[in-house]
Amino acid sequence: MLSFTEENYLKAIFKLSEKTDGPISTNAIAHEMNTAAASVTDMVKRLAKNDFILYERYKGVFLSKQGDIIARKLIRKHRLWEVFLFDKLNFTWDEVHDIAEQLEHIQSEELVDRMDKYLGSPKFDPHGDPIPNKNGQFAIREQDPLSELVLKDKGIIVGVREHSKAFLQYLEQCNLVLGTHVAVLEIFDYDGSIKIKINHKIEQIITQKVANNLFIIKEE
Amino acid sequence: MLSFTEENYLKAIFKLSEKTDGPISTNAIAHEMNTAAASVTDMVKRLAKNDFILYERYKGVFLSKQGDIIARKLIRKHRLWEVFLFDKLNFTWDEVHDIAEQLEHIQSEELVDRMDKYLGSPKFDPHGDPIPNKNGQFAIREQDPLSELVLKDKGIIVGVREHSKAFLQYLEQCNLVLGTHVAVLEIFDYDGSIKIKINHKIEQIITQKVANNLFIIKEE
DNA sequence: ACATATTTTTAGATTCGTCTAAAAATATGT
DNA sequence: ACATATTTTTAGACGAATCTAAAAATATGT
Ligand SMILES: [Mn+2]
Ligand SMILES: [Mn+2]
Ligand SMILES: [Mn+2]
Ligand SMILES: [Mn+2]
């Protein structure tokens, strides 16, 4: 049985692999996990010895099939717990992540299955991130950053790219939560900021940074 | 922040303190936790140094006020999670304990409060054990082992003394679950076994051992 | 009360996960 | 291509949690 720490390393390597192809460097892992590179080297040797990753000195690591499966299970658990906390216990979307970081390590296949069923087999978590199914497959959907919409485009907010508490709390305050309808009224060349109409009612200007971190499914 | 292990020691000491007065011995803790006595001595020194327990060499330990509070919180969490698993996810009463052993270590006051509310502030867990309230207080109720009832006594099963999977599964099979009505039809002097009527329907003989491990609230 | 049994502590070792500092390998730029 | 910068590994240390074996303290019984 893997320790919490080992599980967290696998999850970090998975996350980094999503954004990079080729091997994941020691340094990248160290940065992702807030540990010293030397610690990563040690751990990476252990994980490789037990066939959770493939490791070549000075090159970096890949997840093995086994490691990949474990990482996906962790993400599945993490996101299902987030849905539970959000849907059933009414936590806000900026609160769920920290608690899910703990809950994702609970060991019980049966618990995951029952939780999935209890929650209605959700395909996306409270941040709009896809929840792997039992086989580790992620749902995919056509979504674009709000910053890529053009004048008069409209759609529904379905996800966020950034997950910081500050960003999520800002969005909450502006009513820019999942499910919200937005329409692009004006795009300012000057700084890329955008005037949008929120839920057919309120007009508001958001920065390009905000727009870039919001995912939209286009309508019409 | 306490480690899982430290929390488990405090819980073990609390449990032992319920059944014994006077200090809890190193050996008793070692037995309760399936560890070597030497390991307990080490840990007990650490816990004492941080004022979670009072420890005197060769004498044993007591929980400090602080240690007692933590132990009660753990038990509260454990039993609330058991209720969740039983009530919401339909686990059986022999399955809930092992998962709750993991879940009891999740750190979030808010989570406990919300879970409590979500479950309707239950006072007893799926085994009939009392759930401490926010202040650590246990509900108490008039209950007797079935073995202490006399001829023609009747009542409702409200708890079990033993928590082994084998016992819980046996009870399930006989329909001797919480809420079941039982009436004493006959007591056999020979071996202390008892013939009971279950839910006004089925008659069955149970051993004295079984009767001793079932708690009843008497009726009429 | 003293010999024996039991309990508890100490001593010394191991594994895990971490660190810092130094050495070695690799990458980069002119 | 070679000096310099960066990345990665090694070396050595530490604290937490555990173990076994031996020593010390306490309890027990005749
Ligand atoms: Mn998250
Ligand atoms: Mn999420
Ligand atoms: Mn339990
Ligand atoms: Mn219980």
Side-chain angles (χ1 to χ4, degrees):
Chain A
M1 177 150 297
L2 290 169
S3 68
F4 282 25
T5 312
E6 288 169 318
E7 289 194 335
N8 283 335
Y9 270 92
L10 294 179
K11 200 168 53 121
I13 295 166
F14 183 92
K15 254 188 168 172
L16 293 166
S17 301
E18 278 182 314
K19 290 169 191 171
T20 326
D21 35 23
I24 305 305
S25 75
T26 303
N27 248 21
I29 299 169
H31 187 260
E32 174 75 24
M33 304 207 48
N34 296 309
T35 46
S39 309
V40 175
T41 302
D42 283 351
M43 177 57 89
V44 134
K45 280 188 214 161
R46 277 238 317 280
L47 290 171
K49 193 162 60 93
N50 296 114
D51 296 316
F52 296 111
I53 61 176
L54 309 169
Y55 166 54
E56 229 179 311
R57 275 161 77 246
Y58 293 103
K59 290 281 170 58
V61 306
F62 290 99
L63 286 179
S64 69
K65 185 63 202 156
Q66 209 196 151
D68 182 80
I69 289 168
I70 292 167
R72 284 167 195 265
K73 280 187 181 168
L74 281 166
I75 291 166
R76 174 168 164 79
K77 282 193 276 183
H78 181 101
R79 294 184 179 167
L80 282 173
W81 278 114
E82 284 191 347
V83 172
F84 170 72
L85 296 171
F86 188 81
D87 284 8
K88 303 291 187 183
L89 300 189
N90 301 116
F91 279 97
T92 56
W93 68 349
D94 58 296
E95 294 172 325
V96 296
H97 176 80
D98 290 345
I99 305 177
E101 280 292 301
Q102 300 179 60
L103 287 163
E104 72 190 4
H105 299 289
I106 302 294
Q107 302 285 359
S108 167
E109 286 267 344
E110 189 66 25
L111 176 59
V112 184
D113 292 348
R114 287 185 189 228
M115 191 61 92
D116 179 59
K117 199 173 164 196
Y118 183 60
L119 299 171
S121 295
K123 298 288 164 281
F124 298 90
D125 82 4
H127 309 104
D129 295 315
I131 300 174
N133 66 16
K134 249 213 130 179
N135 303 317
Q137 273 139 1
F138 291 93
I140 28 178
R141 64 181 166 198
E142 264 305 320
Q143 60 180 36
D144 305 289
L146 174 46
S147 53
E148 285 185 12
L149 301 206
V150 298
L151 216 59
K152 293 190 178 162
D153 272 353
K154 20 185 141 162
I156 303 285
I157 299 175
V158 295
V160 293
R161 174 181 280 133
E162 206 194 301
H163 286 65
S164 72
K165 276 198 165 59
F167 183 54
L168 296 175
Q169 283 167 2
Y170 162 81
L171 292 177
E172 186 97 51
Q173 275 190 327
C174 305
N175 277 307
L176 293 170
V177 296
L178 299 202
T180 301
H181 184 275
V182 291
V184 178
L185 300 182
E186 226 175 316
I187 300 176
F188 301 102
D189 274 358
Y190 172 59
D191 62 355
S193 61
I194 304 175
K195 186 192 273 183
I196 56 176
K197 184 156 237 171
I198 300 174
N199 276 333
H200 311 283
K201 281 181 214 136
I202 301 145
E203 293 184 6
Q204 188 175 338
I205 293 173
I206 59 173
T207 66
Q208 190 174 36
K209 191 180 171 197
V210 169
N212 189 243
N213 284 309
L214 277 176
F215 292 119
I216 307 291
I217 290 183
K218 277 192 258 184
E219 252 183 9
E220 267 144 292
Chain B
M1 176 149 298
L2 290 169
S3 68
F4 282 25
T5 313
E6 289 169 318
E7 290 193 336
N8 284 335
Y9 271 92
L10 294 180
K11 200 168 53 120
I13 295 165
F14 183 91
K15 255 189 169 172
L16 293 166
S17 301
E18 277 182 314
K19 290 169 192 171
T20 326
D21 34 25
I24 305 304
S25 75
T26 303
N27 248 22
I29 299 169
H31 186 260
E32 175 75 23
M33 305 207 47
N34 294 311
T35 46
S39 308
V40 175
T41 302
D42 284 351
M43 177 57 89
V44 133
K45 281 188 213 160
R46 277 238 317 280
L47 289 171
K49 192 161 61 96
N50 296 112
D51 296 315
F52 295 111
I53 60 177
L54 310 168
Y55 167 55
E56 229 179 309
R57 274 162 80 245
Y58 292 104
K59 289 281 169 59
V61 305
F62 290 100
L63 286 179
S64 70
K65 185 62 202 158
Q66 209 195 152
D68 182 78
I69 288 168
I70 292 167
R72 285 168 194 266
K73 280 187 181 168
L74 281 165
I75 291 167
R76 175 167 162 80
K77 283 194 275 182
H78 181 102
R79 293 183 181 167
L80 282 173
W81 277 115
E82 284 190 349
V83 173
F84 170 73
L85 295 170
F86 188 81
D87 284 8
K88 304 291 187 184
L89 299 189
N90 300 117
F91 278 96
T92 56
W93 68 349
D94 58 295
E95 295 171 324
V96 296
H97 176 79
D98 291 346
I99 304 177
E101 281 292 301
Q102 300 179 60
L103 286 163
E104 72 190 6
H105 299 289
I106 302 295
Q107 302 284 0
S108 167
E109 285 268 344
E110 189 66 26
L111 177 58
V112 184
D113 292 348
R114 287 185 190 229
M115 191 60 91
D116 179 59
K117 199 173 163 195
Y118 184 59
L119 299 171
S121 295
K123 297 289 163 281
F124 297 90
D125 83 3
H127 310 104
D129 294 316
I131 299 174
N133 67 16
K134 249 212 131 181
N135 302 317
Q137 274 139 1
F138 291 93
I140 28 177
R141 66 182 164 196
E142 265 305 321
Q143 62 181 33
D144 304 289
L146 174 45
S147 54
E148 284 185 13
L149 301 207
V150 297
L151 216 59
K152 293 192 179 162
D153 272 353
K154 20 185 139 161
I156 303 284
I157 299 176
V158 295
V160 292
R161 173 180 281 131
E162 205 195 303
H163 287 66
S164 72
K165 275 197 166 58
F167 182 53
L168 296 174
Q169 282 167 3
Y170 161 80
L171 292 177
E172 187 98 50
Q173 275 190 326
C174 307
N175 277 307
L176 293 170
V177 297
L178 298 203
T180 302
H181 185 276
V182 291
V184 177
L185 301 182
E186 227 175 316
I187 300 176
F188 301 103
D189 274 359
Y190 172 59
D191 62 355
S193 60
I194 304 176
K195 186 192 271 183
I196 56 174
K197 184 157 238 171
I198 301 174
N199 277 332
H200 311 283
K201 280 181 214 134
I202 302 146
E203 293 184 7
Q204 188 177 337
I205 293 173
I206 58 172
T207 66
Q208 189 174 36
K209 190 180 172 196
V210 168
N212 189 245
N213 283 309
L214 278 177
F215 291 120
I216 307 293
I217 290 184
K218 277 190 259 185
E219 251 183 9
E220 267 143 290

Coordinates of all heavy atoms in Angstrom, one line a residue, chain A residues 122-186:
Chain A
P122 N -21.4 12.1 -11.4 CA -21.1 13.4 -12.0 C -19.9 13.3 -12.9 O -19.0 12.5 -12.7 CB -20.8 14.3 -10.8 CG -20.3 13.4 -9.8 CD -21.1 12.1 -9.9
K123 N -20.0 14.0 -14.0 CA -18.9 14.0 -15.0 C -17.9 15.1 -14.8 O -16.8 15.1 -15.3 CB -19.4 14.0 -16.4 CG -20.3 12.9 -16.8 CD -19.5 11.6 -16.9 CE -20.4 10.3 -16.9 NZ -20.8 9.9 -15.5
F124 N -18.3 16.2 -14.0 CA -17.4 17.3 -13.8 C -17.5 17.7 -12.3 O -18.6 17.6 -11.7 CB -17.8 18.5 -14.7 CG -17.6 18.1 -16.2 CD1 -18.7 17.6 -16.9 CD2 -16.4 18.3 -16.8 CE1 -18.5 17.2 -18.2 CE2 -16.2 18.0 -18.1 CZ -17.3 17.4 -18.9
D125 N -16.4 18.3 -11.8 CA -16.4 18.7 -10.4 C -16.8 20.2 -10.3 O -17.2 20.8 -11.2 CB -15.0 18.4 -9.8 CG -14.0 19.4 -10.1 OD1 -14.3 20.5 -10.7 OD2 -12.8 19.2 -9.7
P126 N -16.9 20.7 -9.1 CA -17.4 22.1 -8.9 C -16.5 23.2 -9.6 O -17.0 24.3 -9.6 CB -17.3 22.3 -7.3 CG -17.3 20.9 -6.8 CD -16.6 20.1 -7.8
H127 N -15.4 22.8 -10.1 CA -14.6 23.8 -10.8 C -14.7 23.5 -12.3 O -14.0 24.2 -13.1 CB -13.1 23.7 -10.4 CG -12.9 23.8 -8.9 ND1 -12.6 22.7 -8.2 CD2 -13.0 24.8 -8.1 CE1 -12.5 23.0 -6.9 NE2 -12.8 24.3 -6.8
G128 N -15.5 22.6 -12.7 CA -15.7 22.2 -14.1 C -14.6 21.3 -14.6 O -14.6 21.0 -15.8
D129 N -13.8 20.7 -13.7 CA -12.8 19.7 -14.1 C -13.4 18.4 -14.3 O -14.3 18.0 -13.5 CB -11.7 19.7 -13.1 CG -10.9 21.0 -13.0 OD1 -10.6 21.5 -14.1 OD2 -10.6 21.4 -11.9
P130 N -13.0 17.6 -15.3 CA -13.7 16.3 -15.6 C -13.3 15.3 -14.6 O -12.2 15.3 -14.1 CB -13.1 15.9 -17.0 CG -11.8 16.7 -17.1 CD -12.0 18.0 -16.3
I131 N -14.2 14.4 -14.2 CA -14.0 13.4 -13.2 C -13.8 12.1 -14.0 O -14.6 11.6 -14.7 CB -15.2 13.2 -12.3 CG1 -15.5 14.5 -11.5 CG2 -15.0 12.0 -11.4 CD1 -16.7 14.6 -10.7
P132 N -12.6 11.4 -13.8 CA -12.4 10.2 -14.5 C -13.4 9.2 -14.2 O -13.9 9.1 -13.0 CB -11.0 9.7 -14.0 CG -10.4 10.9 -13.4 CD -11.5 11.8 -13.0
N133 N -13.9 8.3 -15.1 CA -14.8 7.3 -14.8 C -14.0 6.1 -14.2 O -12.8 6.2 -14.0 CB -15.6 6.8 -16.0 CG -14.7 6.2 -17.1 OD1 -13.6 5.8 -16.8 ND2 -15.2 6.1 -18.3
K134 N -14.7 5.0 -13.9 CA -14.0 3.9 -13.2 C -12.8 3.4 -14.0 O -11.9 2.8 -13.4 CB -15.1 2.7 -13.0 CG -15.4 2.5 -11.6 CD -15.7 1.0 -11.3 CE -15.0 0.6 -10.0 NZ -15.2 -0.8 -9.7
N135 N -12.8 3.5 -15.3 CA -11.7 3.1 -16.1 C -10.6 4.2 -16.2 O -9.7 4.0 -17.0 CB -12.2 2.6 -17.5 CG -13.2 1.5 -17.4 OD1 -13.0 0.6 -16.6 ND2 -14.2 1.6 -18.1
G136 N -10.8 5.3 -15.6 CA -9.8 6.4 -15.6 C -10.0 7.3 -16.8 O -9.1 8.2 -17.0
Q137 N -11.1 7.2 -17.6 CA -11.3 8.0 -18.7 C -12.0 9.3 -18.3 O -13.0 9.3 -17.6 CB -12.1 7.3 -19.8 CG -11.2 6.5 -20.7 CD -11.8 5.2 -21.1 OE1 -12.9 4.9 -20.7 NE2 -11.0 4.4 -21.9
F138 N -11.4 10.4 -18.9 CA -12.0 11.8 -18.7 C -13.0 12.1 -19.7 O -12.8 11.8 -20.9 CB -10.9 12.8 -18.8 CG -9.9 12.8 -17.6 CD1 -8.7 12.1 -17.8 CD2 -10.2 13.5 -16.5 CE1 -7.8 12.0 -16.7 CE2 -9.2 13.4 -15.4 CZ -8.1 12.7 -15.5
A139 N -14.1 12.7 -19.3 CA -15.1 13.2 -20.3 C -14.4 14.4 -21.0 O -13.6 15.1 -20.4 CB -16.3 13.7 -19.6
I140 N -14.7 14.6 -22.3 CA -14.2 15.8 -23.0 C -15.4 16.6 -23.5 O -16.4 16.0 -23.9 CB -13.2 15.4 -24.1 CG1 -13.5 14.1 -24.7 CG2 -11.8 15.5 -23.6 CD1 -12.6 13.7 -25.8
R141 N -15.2 17.9 -23.7 CA -16.3 18.7 -24.2 C -15.6 19.9 -24.9 O -14.5 20.3 -24.6 CB -17.3 19.1 -23.2 CG -16.6 20.0 -22.1 CD -17.7 20.4 -21.0 NE -17.0 21.0 -19.9 CZ -17.5 21.1 -18.7 NH1 -18.7 20.7 -18.4 NH2 -16.8 21.6 -17.7
E142 N -16.4 20.4 -25.8 CA -15.9 21.6 -26.5 C -16.1 22.9 -25.6 O -17.1 23.3 -25.4 CB -16.9 21.8 -27.7 CG -16.4 21.3 -29.0 CD -15.0 21.7 -29.5 OE1 -14.7 22.9 -29.3 OE2 -14.3 20.9 -30.0
Q143 N -14.9 23.3 -25.2 CA -15.0 24.6 -24.4 C -13.9 25.5 -24.7 O -12.8 25.0 -25.2 CB -15.0 24.2 -22.9 CG -13.7 23.5 -22.4 CD -13.7 23.1 -21.0 OE1 -14.7 22.8 -20.4 NE2 -12.5 23.2 -20.3
D144 N -14.1 26.8 -24.6 CA -13.1 27.7 -25.0 C -12.9 28.7 -23.8 O -13.9 29.1 -23.1 CB -13.5 28.5 -26.2 CG -13.7 27.6 -27.4 OD1 -12.8 27.0 -27.9 OD2 -14.9 27.4 -27.7
P145 N -11.7 29.3 -23.7 CA -11.5 30.4 -22.8 C -12.4 31.5 -23.2 O -12.5 31.8 -24.4 CB -10.0 30.8 -22.9 CG -9.4 29.6 -23.6 CD -10.4 28.9 -24.4
L146 N -13.0 32.2 -22.3 CA -13.8 33.4 -22.6 C -13.0 34.4 -23.4 O -13.6 35.1 -24.3 CB -14.3 34.0 -21.3 CG -15.1 35.3 -21.3 CD1 -16.2 35.3 -22.4 CD2 -15.8 35.6 -20.0
S147 N -11.7 34.4 -23.2 CA -10.9 35.4 -23.9 C -10.8 35.1 -25.4 O -10.4 35.9 -26.2 CB -9.5 35.4 -23.4 OG -9.0 34.0 -23.3
E148 N -11.2 33.9 -25.9 CA -11.2 33.6 -27.3 C -12.5 33.9 -28.0 O -12.6 33.7 -29.2 CB -10.8 32.2 -27.5 CG -9.3 32.0 -27.3 CD -8.8 30.6 -27.6 OE1 -9.5 29.8 -28.2 OE2 -7.6 30.3 -27.2
L149 N -13.5 34.3 -27.2 CA -14.8 34.6 -27.9 C -14.6 35.9 -28.6 O -13.8 36.8 -28.3 CB -15.9 34.7 -26.9 CG -16.3 33.5 -26.0 CD1 -17.7 33.6 -25.5 CD2 -16.0 32.2 -26.7
V150 N -15.5 36.1 -29.6 CA -15.5 37.4 -30.4 C -16.8 38.2 -30.1 O -17.7 37.6 -29.4 CB -15.3 37.2 -31.9 CG1 -13.9 36.6 -32.2 CG2 -16.4 36.4 -32.5
L151 N -16.9 39.4 -30.6 CA -18.0 40.2 -30.3 C -19.3 39.5 -30.6 O -19.5 38.8 -31.6 CB -17.9 41.5 -31.2 CG -18.4 42.8 -30.5 CD1 -17.7 43.1 -29.3 CD2 -18.4 43.9 -31.5
K152 N -20.3 39.7 -29.7 CA -21.6 39.1 -29.8 C -21.7 37.6 -29.5 O -22.8 37.0 -29.5 CB -22.3 39.4 -31.2 CG -22.6 40.9 -31.3 CD -23.4 41.1 -32.6 CE -23.7 42.6 -32.7 NZ -24.1 43.0 -34.0
D153 N -20.5 36.9 -29.3 CA -20.6 35.5 -28.9 C -21.2 35.4 -27.5 O -21.1 36.4 -26.7 CB -19.1 35.0 -28.8 CG -18.6 34.4 -30.1 OD1 -19.4 34.3 -31.1 OD2 -17.4 34.1 -30.2
K154 N -21.9 34.3 -27.3 CA -22.5 34.1 -25.9 C -22.3 32.6 -25.5 O -22.0 31.8 -26.4 CB -23.9 34.4 -25.9 CG -24.7 34.5 -27.2 CD -26.1 34.9 -27.1 CE -26.5 35.9 -28.2 NZ -27.9 36.0 -28.4
G155 N -22.5 32.4 -24.3 CA -22.3 31.0 -23.8 C -22.5 30.9 -22.3 O -22.8 31.8 -21.6
I156 N -22.2 29.6 -21.8 CA -22.3 29.3 -20.4 C -21.0 29.0 -19.8 O -20.1 28.4 -20.4 CB -23.2 28.0 -20.3 CG1 -24.5 28.2 -21.0 CG2 -23.4 27.6 -18.8 CD1 -25.5 29.1 -20.2
I157 N -20.7 29.6 -18.7 CA -19.5 29.3 -17.9 C -19.5 27.8 -17.5 O -20.5 27.4 -16.8 CB -19.3 30.2 -16.7 CG1 -19.2 31.7 -17.2 CG2 -18.0 29.8 -16.0 CD1 -19.2 32.7 -16.0
V158 N -18.5 27.1 -17.8 CA -18.5 25.6 -17.4 C -17.2 25.2 -16.6 O -17.1 24.1 -16.2 CB -18.6 24.7 -18.6 CG1 -20.0 24.9 -19.3 CG2 -17.5 24.9 -19.6
G159 N -16.3 26.2 -16.5 CA -15.1 25.8 -15.8 C -14.1 26.9 -15.6 O -14.3 28.0 -16.2
V160 N -13.1 26.7 -14.8 CA -12.1 27.7 -14.5 C -10.7 27.0 -14.8 O -10.6 25.8 -14.5 CB -12.1 28.2 -13.1 CG1 -13.4 29.0 -12.8 CG2 -12.0 27.1 -12.1
R161 N -9.8 27.8 -15.3 CA -8.4 27.3 -15.5 C -7.6 27.5 -14.2 O -7.0 26.6 -13.7 CB -7.8 28.1 -16.6 CG -6.3 27.7 -16.8 CD -5.7 28.4 -18.0 NE -6.0 27.8 -19.2 CZ -6.4 28.5 -20.3 NH1 -6.6 29.8 -20.3 NH2 -6.7 27.9 -21.4
E162 N -7.7 28.7 -13.6 CA -7.0 28.9 -12.4 C -7.9 28.4 -11.2 O -9.1 28.5 -11.3 CB -6.8 30.4 -12.2 CG -5.6 30.7 -11.3 CD -5.5 32.2 -10.9 OE1 -5.5 33.1 -11.8 OE2 -5.6 32.4 -9.7
H163 N -7.3 28.0 -10.1 CA -8.0 27.4 -9.0 C -7.8 28.2 -7.7 O -8.1 27.7 -6.6 CB -7.7 25.9 -8.8 CG -8.3 25.1 -9.9 ND1 -8.0 25.1 -11.2 CD2 -9.3 24.1 -9.8 CE1 -8.7 24.3 -11.9 NE2 -9.5 23.6 -11.1
S164 N -7.1 29.3 -7.7 CA -6.7 30.0 -6.5 C -8.0 30.5 -5.8 O -9.0 30.8 -6.4 CB -5.8 31.2 -6.8 OG -6.6 32.2 -7.4
K165 N -7.9 30.5 -4.4 CA -9.0 30.9 -3.6 C -9.4 32.3 -4.1 O -10.6 32.7 -4.2 CB -8.6 30.9 -2.2 CG -8.8 29.6 -1.5 CD -8.8 29.9 0.1 CE -9.3 28.7 0.9 NZ -8.5 27.4 0.7
A166 N -8.4 33.2 -4.3 CA -8.6 34.6 -4.6 C -9.5 34.7 -5.9 O -10.5 35.4 -5.9 CB -7.3 35.3 -4.8
F167 N -9.1 33.9 -6.9 CA -9.8 34.0 -8.1 C -11.3 33.5 -8.0 O -12.2 34.1 -8.4 CB -9.1 33.2 -9.2 CG -9.7 33.2 -10.5 CD1 -10.0 34.4 -11.2 CD2 -10.0 32.0 -11.2 CE1 -10.6 34.4 -12.5 CE2 -10.6 32.0 -12.5 CZ -10.9 33.2 -13.1
L168 N -11.4 32.3 -7.3 CA -12.7 31.7 -7.1 C -13.7 32.6 -6.3 O -14.8 32.8 -6.6 CB -12.6 30.4 -6.4 CG -11.8 29.3 -7.2 CD1 -11.6 28.0 -6.4 CD2 -12.5 29.0 -8.5
Q169 N -13.1 33.3 -5.3 CA -13.9 34.2 -4.5 C -14.3 35.4 -5.3 O -15.4 35.9 -5.1 CB -13.1 34.6 -3.2 CG -13.1 33.5 -2.2 CD -12.2 33.7 -1.0 OE1 -11.5 34.7 -1.0 NE2 -12.1 32.7 -0.1
Y170 N -13.4 35.9 -6.1 CA -13.7 37.0 -7.0 C -14.9 36.7 -7.9 O -15.9 37.4 -8.0 CB -12.5 37.4 -7.8 CG -12.8 38.3 -9.0 CD1 -13.0 39.7 -8.9 CD2 -12.9 37.7 -10.3 CE1 -13.3 40.4 -10.0 CE2 -13.2 38.4 -11.4 CZ -13.4 39.8 -11.3 OH -13.7 40.6 -12.4
L171 N -14.8 35.5 -8.5 CA -15.8 35.1 -9.4 C -17.2 35.0 -8.7 O -18.2 35.4 -9.2 CB -15.5 33.7 -10.0 CG -14.3 33.7 -11.0 CD1 -14.0 32.3 -11.5 CD2 -14.5 34.6 -12.2
E172 N -17.1 34.4 -7.5 CA -18.4 34.2 -6.8 C -19.0 35.6 -6.6 O -20.3 35.7 -6.7 CB -18.0 33.6 -5.4 CG -19.2 33.3 -4.5 CD -19.5 31.8 -4.6 OE1 -18.6 31.0 -4.5 OE2 -20.7 31.5 -4.9
Q173 N -18.2 36.6 -6.2 CA -18.8 37.9 -5.9 C -19.4 38.5 -7.2 O -20.4 39.3 -7.1 CB -17.7 38.8 -5.4 CG -17.5 38.7 -3.9 CD -16.5 39.7 -3.4 OE1 -15.6 40.2 -4.1 NE2 -16.8 40.2 -2.2
C174 N -18.9 38.2 -8.3 CA -19.4 38.8 -9.6 C -20.5 37.9 -10.2 O -20.9 38.2 -11.3 CB -18.3 38.9 -10.6 SG -16.8 39.8 -10.1
N175 N -20.8 36.9 -9.5 CA -21.8 35.9 -10.0 C -21.3 35.2 -11.2 O -22.1 34.7 -12.0 CB -23.1 36.7 -10.4 CG -24.0 36.8 -9.2 OD1 -24.3 35.8 -8.5 ND2 -24.4 38.0 -8.9
L176 N -20.0 35.2 -11.4 CA -19.5 34.4 -12.6 C -19.2 33.0 -12.2 O -18.1 32.5 -12.2 CB -18.2 35.1 -13.1 CG -18.4 36.5 -13.7 CD1 -17.1 37.2 -13.9 CD2 -19.2 36.3 -15.0
V177 N -20.3 32.3 -11.7 CA -20.1 30.9 -11.3 C -20.5 29.9 -12.4 O -21.0 30.4 -13.5 CB -21.0 30.6 -10.1 CG1 -20.5 31.5 -8.9 CG2 -22.5 30.9 -10.4
L178 N -20.3 28.6 -12.2 CA -20.6 27.7 -13.3 C -22.1 27.8 -13.6 O -22.9 27.9 -12.7 CB -20.3 26.2 -12.8 CG -18.8 25.9 -12.6 CD1 -18.5 24.4 -12.7 CD2 -17.8 26.7 -13.5
G179 N -22.5 27.7 -14.8 CA -23.8 27.7 -15.2 C -24.3 29.1 -15.6 O -25.4 29.3 -16.1
T180 N -23.5 30.1 -15.4 CA -23.9 31.5 -15.7 C -23.8 31.8 -17.2 O -22.9 31.3 -17.9 CB -22.9 32.5 -14.9 OG1 -23.0 32.2 -13.5 CG2 -23.3 33.9 -15.2
H181 N -24.8 32.5 -17.7 CA -24.8 32.9 -19.1 C -24.0 34.2 -19.3 O -24.2 35.1 -18.5 CB -26.2 33.0 -19.6 CG -26.3 33.3 -21.1 ND1 -26.2 34.6 -21.6 CD2 -26.5 32.5 -22.1 CE1 -26.3 34.5 -22.9 NE2 -26.5 33.3 -23.2
V182 N -23.1 34.2 -20.3 CA -22.4 35.5 -20.5 C -22.5 35.8 -22.0 O -22.5 34.9 -22.9 CB -20.9 35.4 -20.1 CG1 -20.8 35.3 -18.6 CG2 -20.2 34.2 -20.7
A183 N -22.5 37.1 -22.4 CA -22.5 37.5 -23.8 C -21.4 38.6 -23.9 O -21.3 39.4 -23.0 CB -23.8 38.0 -24.2
V184 N -20.6 38.5 -25.0 CA -19.6 39.5 -25.2 C -20.1 40.8 -25.8 O -20.6 40.8 -27.0 CB -18.5 39.0 -26.0 CG1 -17.4 40.0 -26.3 CG2 -17.9 37.7 -25.4
L185 N -20.1 41.9 -25.1 CA -20.7 43.2 -25.6 C -19.6 44.0 -26.3 O -19.9 44.8 -27.2 CB -21.3 44.0 -24.4 CG -22.4 43.3 -23.7 CD1 -22.9 44.2 -22.6 CD2 -23.5 42.9 -24.6
E186 N -18.4 44.0 -25.8 CA -17.4 44.9 -26.3 C -16.0 44.3 -25.9 O -15.8 43.7 -24.8 CB -17.6 46.2 -25.6 CG -17.5 47.4 -26.5 CD -17.8 48.7 -25.7 OE1 -18.8 48.7 -24.9 OE2 -17.1 49.7 -25.9

